[in-house]
Amino acid sequence: METEVLGNIPRLYTALADWLACLLYLFFLPKRTAGWRRYTIHAVFLLLLGVFMQATGQVPQFWFLPCIAVSILIMYLYIRMQADVPARSAGYYCVRAFILGELAASLEWQLYYYMAGRQGTPGAGVRVCILAVDYAAVYGAVFALERNYNDIASPLHIHKKEFLSTLFIGVAVYAASNLSYVSPDTPFSGKMTAEIYNIRTLVDLGGMAILFAHHMQLVEYRRKRSATLCRTSCRRSTHSTARRRTALTLSIKNITTSSTRSPCCAARPQRKRPTTSTRWSRRSAAMRRRTRPATRCWTRS
């Protein structure tokens, strides 16, 4: 079993792995469509990936890389049509989804190869069970890790350098993991079937870890930057409020000082208001009839 000719992963398994990887990252991105249109697009791209993978399963080795490029393009269009994100962000998540799909498919086929070497070729039911358990474990673990570093309300905005670095990591990981398929006569290629499976699975696992660490750094940098901007804005608003309060206090002091020093602005003494009895007495005195004083005439006798 160790020296048998290497068999490729079933193309339908790879198509399902790529579709599930895209579906996982689409869960964390804002949706472009809703309702029956969304589910129709999901079904259409699953069918498209399955038909394309199955149709290109027996192509010559020269067409292997072009077919992989077309499958990546299908995954990119799938994410672009379903997620309301810029094209660069869609390409970023497409690279991550492609490496994740490669990891899930290679791990499932390696487990199948291990069981086939120990207990013989398993039946269809066992193969389906292996597929279900492997995909559930891989995508469940990735979902648990990704949900703490993705937010639908504020998706990660990818810059040009960040996309290029992610693309370089993806290309390097895929080239290293599938080098034995393209050229088996290199110092880094495997000769035995088990070696090739181990190289592919371990390199895909390492590449997925590198991409996730890169994504964590990007998210943490965005969070620290937003926190710094919030603290800076709060500090500026606090300083401006303190300056306004100081200016208002100084203006009040100046007004008070000028009013006490200026004689024209000094407070006039208030007159004492007369009482009610005093007012009535003044009014009655004013309303009296004025008469001429009586003159006494003295006559001589």
Side-chain angles (χ1 to χ4, degrees):
M1 196 71 181
E2 288 292 323
T3 58
E4 67 177 5
V5 180
L6 175 64
N8 292 327
I9 303 173
R11 305 293 285 174
L12 292 179
Y13 291 6
T14 305
L16 181 60
D18 293 340
W19 182 80
L20 288 175
C22 293
L23 191 65
L24 186 145
Y25 285 109
L26 284 173
F27 179 82
F28 299 108
L29 298 175
K31 308 300 184 293
R32 188 183 295 271
T33 58
W36 63 271
R37 294 182 179 179
R38 182 190 304 174
Y39 300 109
T40 303
I41 294 175
H42 288 322
V44 167
F45 274 93
L46 175 59
L47 182 63
L48 182 61
L49 281 172
V51 171
F52 177 78
M53 291 289 187
Q54 192 67 23
T56 57
Q58 302 297 329
V59 295
Q61 189 177 3
F62 175 78
W63 294 99
F64 177 74
L65 292 179
C67 291
I68 294 298
V70 173
S71 65
I72 296 174
L73 179 61
I74 294 174
M75 295 173 64
Y76 171 77
L77 293 177
Y78 180 31
I79 296 176
R80 191 78 175 95
M81 292 182 64
Q82 287 287 69
D84 190 12
V85 293
R88 194 179 298 156
S89 299
Y92 171 81
Y93 284 102
C94 178
V95 173
R96 301 190 63 200
F98 177 72
I99 299 300
L100 177 58
E102 287 291 315
L103 172 62
S106 62
L107 180 60
E108 187 276 334
W109 193 246
Q110 185 174 1
L111 293 177
Y112 168 77
Y113 175 81
Y114 177 79
M115 293 187 65
R118 290 297 182 91
Q119 302 176 0
T121 303
V126 177
R127 295 179 63 177
V128 172
C129 290
I130 296 174
L131 178 70
V133 171
D134 174 75
Y135 285 6
V138 172
Y139 293 115
V142 174
F143 179 83
L145 294 174
E146 292 284 347
R147 66 178 181 178
N148 296 323
Y149 294 94
N150 289 278
D151 189 6
I152 300 178
S154 57
L156 186 64
H157 181 72
I158 305 299
H159 300 287
K160 183 178 180 180
K161 292 183 179 180
E162 297 168 348
F163 170 72
L164 292 178
S165 61
T166 304
L167 181 62
F168 176 78
I169 294 172
V171 171
V173 169
Y174 185 77
S177 63
N178 291 270
L179 184 62
S180 300
Y181 285 92
V182 179
S183 179
D185 297 329
T186 63
F188 306 101
S189 301
K191 305 299 181 180
M192 312 294 290
T193 302
E195 293 177 358
I196 296 175
Y197 287 164
N198 290 331
I199 291 173
R200 182 172 58 185
T201 303
L202 294 177
V203 171
D204 289 338
L205 180 61
M208 191 64 202
I210 294 173
L211 288 174
F212 181 71
H214 179 60
H215 181 73
M216 285 177 57
Q217 290 181 351
L218 296 180
V219 174
E220 292 295 337
Y221 173 74
R222 299 291 194 280
R223 290 176 179 176
K224 289 181 180 179
R225 185 178 180 182
S226 61
T228 303
L229 292 177
C230 289
R231 285 195 298 266
T232 304
S233 61
C234 291
R235 198 174 302 164
R236 288 178 180 176
S237 63
T238 304
H239 290 341
S240 62
T241 304
R243 285 197 299 267
R244 291 175 185 175
R245 191 175 299 171
T246 305
L248 181 61
T249 304
L250 291 176
S251 62
I252 293 174
K253 287 183 179 180
N254 293 333
I255 292 173
T256 306
T257 305
S258 61
S259 63
T260 53
R261 291 181 179 179
S262 178
C264 61
C265 298
R268 297 180 179 180
Q270 296 182 357
R271 297 179 180 180
K272 186 177 181 180
R273 297 184 62 182
T275 59
T276 306
S277 59
T278 305
R279 288 200 301 267
W280 278 106
S281 62
R282 289 179 181 177
R283 186 174 297 179
S284 61
M287 294 177 63
R288 292 175 186 171
R289 294 183 60 185
R290 296 182 180 180
T291 56
R292 294 179 61 185
T295 57
R296 184 175 292 182
C297 298
W298 300 89
T299 58
R300 294 180 181 179
S301 55

